[in-house]
Amino acid sequence: MTSKVELVSVVIPTLNEAGNILEAVTNIEKDLAYPKEIIVVDGNSTDGTIEIVKDTSFCKLIIEPRRGYGIALKAGMKNAKGNIIVMVDGDGTYEVRHINRLLSRMIEKDADMVLATRMYDPNKAMGLMNFVGNKVITFFYDFFYSQFLSDTQSGFRAISHEAIDSVELKEGDMAFATEMLVQFAKEGYNIVEIPTTYKARKYGKTKLKKFKSGIEIFSTIFRGLLDADTIRTCQKHWKENRLKR
Ligand SMILES: Nc1nc2c(ncn2[C@@H]2O[C@H](COP(=O)(O)OP(=O)(O)O)[C@@H](O)[C@H]2O)c(=O)[nH]1
Ligand SMILES: [Mg+2]
């Protein structure tokens, strides 16, 4: 339950995003209308990302040399002081200007997590493989965990700090984002979405290893079902949360 935005900790993982990071953090600094801290968690980039972040006066920089998207986000969240955490990629693909909308929706819907969904984006910038993979993952997740999400792989989210601290997250790489959804559904936390737009990467390469991540994500979904009562518990929570949607 999130009734008030006191401080927003924006956590941004970066690995060689020198051509993207400045625009992303500048837009957040300019547009985010709530008290904030911007935490960049860098994986020892070698392309100048670290220097660019250091040159801004408003970003906190954490170096997390261990590889992995989940490991980086966890390091950032551990240092976050806000009652709300926003996670977003540092690659300039998400429309960070929509950050205020995520927060308003969080309050309006009494949500524990707001996902920015890219599925209603008129630009259709997501690659075909990612789109199809995402749709299949989302179908299975929604089906087993009693949710109606459209974009489980969105990396742009507002999350209640208290809620995320209450669940155990072990995945170190891209499956971290799905594990979070699995645990939130099991706990009965209210997860809602808001549409956003998406852009193709202008600089650098994706670190997503599609096959490896696909397997890890599906294992995360199915592992969550090993507790005998998961499906029934999630159905019950879905009914309880229905008035909030
Ligand atoms: N610190 C850190 N950041 C990472 C790592 N892997 C990916 N990232 C960052 O996490 C975000 C998402 O990764 P990206 O390659 O864009 O994945 P995609 O959005 O699935 O294509 C980007 O900002 C990356 O720079 C890592 O091992 N360490
Ligand atoms: Mg990306």
Side-chain angles (χ1 to χ4, degrees):
M1 188 181 109
T2 308
S3 53
K4 196 163 176 277
V5 182
E6 283 154 17
L7 176 70
V8 183
S9 301
V10 186
V11 179
I12 309 175
T14 55
L15 186 56
N16 295 324
E17 303 289 1
N20 303 316
I21 188 64
L22 189 61
E23 192 182 335
V25 292
T26 310
N27 281 334
I28 294 168
E29 171 66 11
K30 198 156 40 85
D31 292 338
L32 179 52
Y34 296 89
K36 58 185 165 279
E37 58 173 0
I38 302 176
I39 304 173
V40 176
V41 188
D42 190 84
N44 260 340
S45 295
T46 49
D47 68 344
T49 306
I50 295 177
E51 290 68 26
I52 293 169
V53 174
K54 276 186 182 159
D55 280 350
T56 68
S57 55
F58 51 82
C59 290
K60 293 181 185 163
L61 174 69
I62 296 174
I63 304 289
E64 173 49 80
R66 291 174 300 163
R67 279 284 160 275
Y69 171 77
I71 288 180
L73 281 170
K74 266 193 272 189
M77 288 175 184
K78 215 171 89 188
N79 282 275
K81 295 195 178 68
N83 70 322
I84 296 184
I85 295 176
V86 171
M87 57 183 244
V88 66
D89 292 1
D91 62 0
T93 55
Y94 289 95
E95 184 47 87
V96 292
R97 291 196 188 89
H98 292 163
I99 197 163
N100 293 315
R101 297 193 202 171
L102 267 78
L103 297 163
S104 330
R105 181 61 63 99
M106 195 161 198
I107 302 303
E108 179 200 348
K109 296 287 179 185
D110 195 11
D112 300 289
M113 190 190 307
V114 181
L115 293 171
T117 168
R118 302 159 290 178
M119 290 301 162
Y120 307 100
D121 173 24
N123 306 330
K124 305 257 178 276
M126 194 183 294
L128 184 65
M129 282 275 279
N130 284 12
F131 177 80
V132 174
N134 192 339
K135 278 286 153 205
V136 175
I137 292 163
T138 301
F139 171 80
F140 279 102
Y141 170 78
D142 282 349
F143 181 77
F144 287 119
Y145 294 91
S146 291
Q147 302 291 325
F148 287 91
L149 303 179
S150 61
D151 185 3
T152 54
Q153 299 311 301
S154 173
F156 188 15
R157 309 173 171 195
I159 310 153
S160 145
H161 197 160
E162 199 183 342
I164 198 142
D165 272 353
S166 75
V167 296
E168 197 184 1
L169 298 169
K170 296 184 194 147
E171 289 299 319
D173 207 2
M174 298 296 184
F176 179 76
T178 308
E179 189 183 27
M180 206 189 271
L181 292 174
V182 164
Q183 301 295 13
F184 270 48
K186 284 175 140 190
E187 288 299 321
Y189 290 142
N190 186 25
I191 310 168
V192 301
E193 284 185 326
I194 186 164
T196 192
T197 49
Y198 193 61
K199 287 169 276 186
R201 240 180 202 282
K202 287 193 216 118
Y203 166 95
K205 280 199 217 102
T206 174
K207 284 96 208 170
L208 175 72
K209 296 178 195 83
K210 291 189 179 67
F211 189 69
K212 174 180 169 281
S213 293
I215 292 186
E216 288 170 358
I217 290 166
F218 275 110
S219 337
T220 301
I221 291 177
F222 290 113
R223 220 176 326 113
L225 298 171
L226 293 178
D227 296 332
D229 267 346
T230 298
I231 296 181
R232 218 153 10 105
T233 311
C234 290
Q235 282 172 351
K236 191 172 113 259
H237 289 321
W238 175 72
K239 284 184 195 140
E240 289 160 2
N241 279 335
R242 129 189 99 182
L243 292 177
K244 291 188 189 167
R245 283 188 207 99

